[in-house]
Amino acid sequence: MDALSHILDDIHLSGAEYLYVNGKGEWSFALKGHATFHIVLAGPIRLSLPGHGDHLLQTGDIAFIPSGSEHHVTHMQTPPPAGYWLMQDFKGHRNDPVSVGEGTDTNLLLSVRCLLDADMGRPLLSSLPACMLIRQGLDGSGPEWLKIGLSFLSLETELFRPGRDTLINRLIGMFLIECVRDYVEQLPDAANNWLSAVRDPYLSQALSAIHAQPAHPWTVAELASLACLSRSAFHERFSEVIGMPPLTYLTEHRLRLAARHLAQPDLSINRISERVGYTSETAFSQAFRRQYQMTPSQYRKSRAATETHRDQESP
């Protein structure tokens, strides 16, 4: 399995929810905090991301905000104000449109948000732009996969069949994967980030090995041999493209995995340290504290308290 496939598996997309937004008159809404797709069913609309500019979207366009950055969706003539916060309206899957604004119906969107493991997905998410656009996804001129996927999604939103939640999660996961793959194919050769390394013929094998066997006691020399480069050439190339030395990247990946395991109560801290490549629980605890500013035990308690609070707030 290649490195991109590994990390796409690691982010564990789940909890996809959708709703239709019916914009009336000079309307606007704002959203943040979740990976989000906006599919424009009747445009045009304006999408604004503070610090990242505006995008004008027409009917059939799709916008993907991978890291859940704050963004504002508005009628074309409306400047991006604070707007109506849409988060409160997501309640699973809603087929009754949420009306925003007053006046004549002007625009219609299908908005889908989902949960990602942002910590595990950090290398990927930090390499993606704040907003990714697919133009003309509904009229047949866009990618074939998108036309099929959107047709399937449209059918599922109209039906109440068993297994719908799982299927919609899979469909949104497919959209995410294909958006990323399309973006990777369009990256300029001079780009230096994690996704550049994924398609680098020398670095991709080493990255894939790290993600496939994080507990293996990798050395720079061993990784360099997988890349078919000398030790010094590999170290320099990896550091330049990824932005950190290979063993630093390995350590950060191991500790992200450890944090995921700590969120589950069934593994002891000693077992987790072994699973992510540490032979000493003390060394693991010290490394974990440097990255997360708390010990593994404190992190586990913090995550448990957060989950309890979330469960109590859920209806």
Side-chain angles (χ1 to χ4, degrees), residues 190-203:
N192 279 348
N193 60 31
W194 189 85
L195 285 172
S196 303
V198 165
R199 70 176 192 179
D200 186 296
Y202 298 103
L203 299 183

Side-chain angles (χ1 to χ4, degrees), residues 12 21-22 26 61 68 73 135 160 218 223 265-266 271 310:
H12 287 186
V21 181
N22 195 349
E26 295 188 351
D61 290 348
V73 185
R135 300 290 186 181
F160 296 89
W218 294 108
L223 292 169
D266 56 335
R271 183 70 186 94
R310 183 181 297 132

Side-chain angles (χ1 to χ4, degrees), residues 48-174:
S48 303
L49 289 93
H52 298 282
D54 293 2
H55 301 281
L56 303 182
L57 306 181
Q58 304 293 334
T59 300
D61 290 348
I62 299 172
F64 174 43
I65 294 84
S67 60
S69 302
E70 178 181 331
H71 57 283
H72 304 262
V73 185
T74 73
H75 180 269
M76 284 292 294
Q77 305 305 318
T78 306
Y84 173 79
W85 289 97
L86 195 66
M87 285 88 77
Q88 61 190 346
D89 293 296
F90 280 95
K91 299 174 182 177
H93 307 315
R94 293 186 54 169
N95 290 332
D96 55 315
V98 175
S99 293
V100 180
E102 297 181 357
T104 305
D105 292 359
T106 54
N107 304 112
L108 183 64
L109 300 90
L110 175 61
S111 296
V112 185
R113 72 174 190 177
C114 53
L115 299 174
L116 302 177
D117 188 327
D119 194 26
M120 287 301 300
R122 187 178 299 125
L124 170 62
L125 296 175
S126 64
S127 301
L128 296 175
C131 178
M132 303 167 71
L133 301 179
I134 300 175
R135 300 290 186 181
Q136 299 176 322
L138 295 177
D139 65 0
S141 62
E144 186 66 22
W145 65 263
L146 185 61
K147 181 173 64 175
I148 296 171
L150 288 173
S151 297
F152 207 167
L153 179 61
S154 177
L155 286 173
E156 285 301 316
T157 59
E158 294 172 2
L159 302 173
F160 296 89
R161 300 169 63 193
R164 184 177 67 162
D165 289 2
T166 298
L167 185 55
I168 288 177
N169 281 332
R170 300 282 172 82
L171 285 169
I172 299 305
M174 182 188 77

